Amino acid sequence: QQHHNRKLHFDQYLTLMLCYFFNPVLTSLRGIQQASTIEVVQKKLGIKSTSLGALSEASQVFDTELLYPLIKKLAARAIPYEKDPRLKALQQNLIAVDGTLLSALPRMLWALWLDEQNRAAKLHLALDIENHVPVEARITHGNASEKMIARDFLKSGALYVFDAGYAEYKFIQDVISAGSSVIMRIKDNAVWDEISSNPLPKAAKDAGVTKDIVVRLGSKSKQNDIDEPVRIIEVFHKGDETIRRKSRVSSKKTYRTTDTDYTFLLVTDRMDLPAEVIVLYYRYRWQIEIFFRWFKCILGCQHLLAHSENGGNHPDLLCPYCQYAHYHLDRSQTYEANI
């Protein structure tokens, strides 16, 4: 950039973004720019004063691909978070995959969701459960298919855990074909042909397992979507009657129940694991919900800072060592009018 007050390097930009994330005083792009003019901030961060225009333009100028080698290096230094020996005994990485909505302005035409006045972006995330760090992430418009994005996340040698929003038989086969395993909640109206039934030891019953069977999943027209038989585990959940689950119509998840006590179905290709361990691994899926809560409520990243789709996806920075996902989001309740 030719103008002297628009000179901004990638490392300086990232340093300012990190300062923004971990400083509650900074709530907007303008706040970041103003902080860059403070002498003590410049000395501590090794930066120079920058302009609002340079910060705004940076989201489209810098090449995010340059971050991936750094991300891998940081990921290798991540300290295991979960101490459960049953996780350590697993010969695969336990990865939870899910998505969460981020508010967007009506003027952000790319952020399609409910209607012109209710727009949203969606953060798609894959979380390493043992280390509690993101391994893959992407931002799209709110109506983007979670299954299509998750297909791009698939790697070999992992055990992926999904909620019922990903329930599609072809998708289950895609995970297996990628050289990984799957645990997925499926809808209560699933159809199958039972092949055999496994006994239920006390440990399984104590975990709420009421059925453990090997099946050919799907109706006659869908059975070819999965090449081999899979395992269905039925689990009874005993809830707290004093706490009622609220219905969330906007989530579009018609299988959500408001009952405190309910039964749900899990499908997996892992025939070797005890049923209670399958249930345990699925319960660990909740860690990604906790991460979303931390990301949006504690870190305060509830909506986008940049208006463009490219800005929403920039920078693709996942910092496992610091245990956070950075996606160029704004903590403030109002958007900067001139961005």
Side-chain angles (χ1 to χ4, degrees):
Q1 299 160 347
Q2 296 180 356
H3 205 279
H4 71 278
N5 68 343
R6 298 287 296 276
K7 187 175 182 179
L8 180 65
H9 297 286
F10 199 7
D11 58 341
Q12 297 171 335
Y13 175 65
L14 295 178
T15 300
L16 287 170
M17 291 296 108
L18 287 171
C19 180
Y20 156 76
F21 267 107
F22 293 102
N23 191 330
V25 175
L26 303 181
T27 60
S28 66
L29 199 66
R30 186 178 295 278
I32 298 172
Q33 184 274 324
Q34 291 173 343
S36 73
T37 65
I38 302 173
E39 185 176 354
V40 66
V41 174
Q42 294 175 0
K43 289 182 178 180
K44 291 286 187 181
L45 301 183
I47 62 172
K48 296 182 179 180
S49 176
T50 188
S51 68
L52 187 63
L55 285 173
S56 180
E57 187 180 10
S59 65
Q60 302 184 46
V61 170
F62 292 128
D63 182 7
T64 61
E65 295 293 329
L66 297 175
L67 289 172
Y68 285 99
L70 175 61
I71 295 170
K72 292 181 179 180
K73 185 177 180 179
L74 291 172
R77 297 169 60 184
I79 301 173
Y81 182 81
E82 295 293 343
K83 306 300 183 182
D84 193 325
R86 289 170 293 186
L87 284 181
K88 296 183 179 299
L90 183 64
Q91 298 301 311
Q92 298 171 297
N93 292 329
L94 187 62
I95 307 294
V97 180
D98 207 348
T100 187
L101 291 172
L102 304 168
S103 299
L105 289 177
R107 75 184 70 170
M108 298 167 67
L109 301 181
W110 64 271
L112 304 174
W113 190 42
L114 295 179
D115 51 47
E116 293 183 358
Q117 297 303 314
N118 294 276
R119 295 187 179 275
K122 181 176 287 187
L123 168 61
H124 307 262
L125 188 74
L127 185 74
D128 184 325
I129 297 298
E130 184 177 3
N131 295 314
H132 204 69
V133 294
V135 292
E136 297 282 353
R138 185 178 301 176
I139 282 184
T140 64
H141 60 79
N143 288 334
S145 170
E146 295 185 2
K147 291 185 286 291
M148 291 301 295
I149 301 300
R151 282 182 168 91
D152 294 336
F153 289 171
L154 297 178
K155 301 290 188 299
S156 62
L159 174 54
Y160 288 97
V161 186
F162 302 94
D163 203 0
Y166 295 83
E168 179 184 283
Y169 300 154
K170 288 184 178 179
F171 181 64
I172 295 174
Q173 181 58 48
D174 288 340
V175 177
I176 299 172
S177 298
S180 289
S181 299
V182 61
I183 299 174
M184 178 186 293
R185 181 179 174 182
I186 58 175
K187 299 179 182 180
D188 297 340
N189 61 354
V191 177
W192 62 75
D193 290 334
E194 183 173 335
I195 298 175
S196 63
S197 177
N198 298 322
L200 297 180
K202 183 179 184 302
K205 293 179 180 178
D206 291 344
V209 177
T210 56
K211 184 184 296 184
D212 181 5
I213 57 178
V214 177
V215 305
R216 192 71 184 177
L217 187 59
S219 61
K220 296 298 182 183
S221 61
K222 296 290 184 179
Q223 283 185 354
N224 291 331
D225 290 349
I226 304 179
D227 294 341
E228 300 177 356
V230 290
R231 189 174 172 193
I232 296 290
I233 297 175
E234 184 182 77
V235 186
F236 174 74
H237 176 271
K238 178 66 176 177
D240 186 345
E241 295 183 356
T242 64
I243 302 176
R244 281 283 173 181
R245 306 177 75 206
K246 295 182 180 180
S247 175
R248 291 171 54 194
V249 177
S250 63
S251 72
K252 302 180 182 178
K253 294 181 178 179
T254 56
Y255 48 82
R256 184 182 298 277
T257 177
T258 58
D259 297 333
T260 56
D261 297 346
Y262 56 91
T263 298
F264 60 93
L265 300 173
L266 299 178
V267 61
T268 181
D269 63 312
R270 291 296 298 266
M271 303 293 183
D272 57 317
L273 295 175
E276 64 273 15
V277 173
I278 296 294
V279 175
L280 172 72
Y281 290 162
Y282 181 75
R283 285 175 177 166
Y284 268 111
R285 194 206 68 84
W286 192 251
Q287 293 298 320
I288 197 170
E289 306 292 353
I290 295 175
F291 182 89
F292 285 148
R293 180 175 179 83
W294 174 84
F295 182 71
K296 298 169 74 172
C297 300
I298 306 302
L299 198 58
C301 306
Q302 297 191 17
H303 49 77
L304 298 175
L305 178 61
H307 283 184
S308 68
E309 184 174 6
N310 183 68
N313 270 300
H314 179 85
D316 293 338
L317 175 60
L318 299 174
C319 186
Y321 190 64
C322 298
Q323 297 189 13
Y324 79 97
H326 168 179
Y327 262 92
H328 204 42
L329 305 177
D330 187 4
R331 284 192 295 266
S332 65
Q333 297 302 310
T334 58
Y335 286 85
E336 293 291 340
N338 61 345
I339 298 177

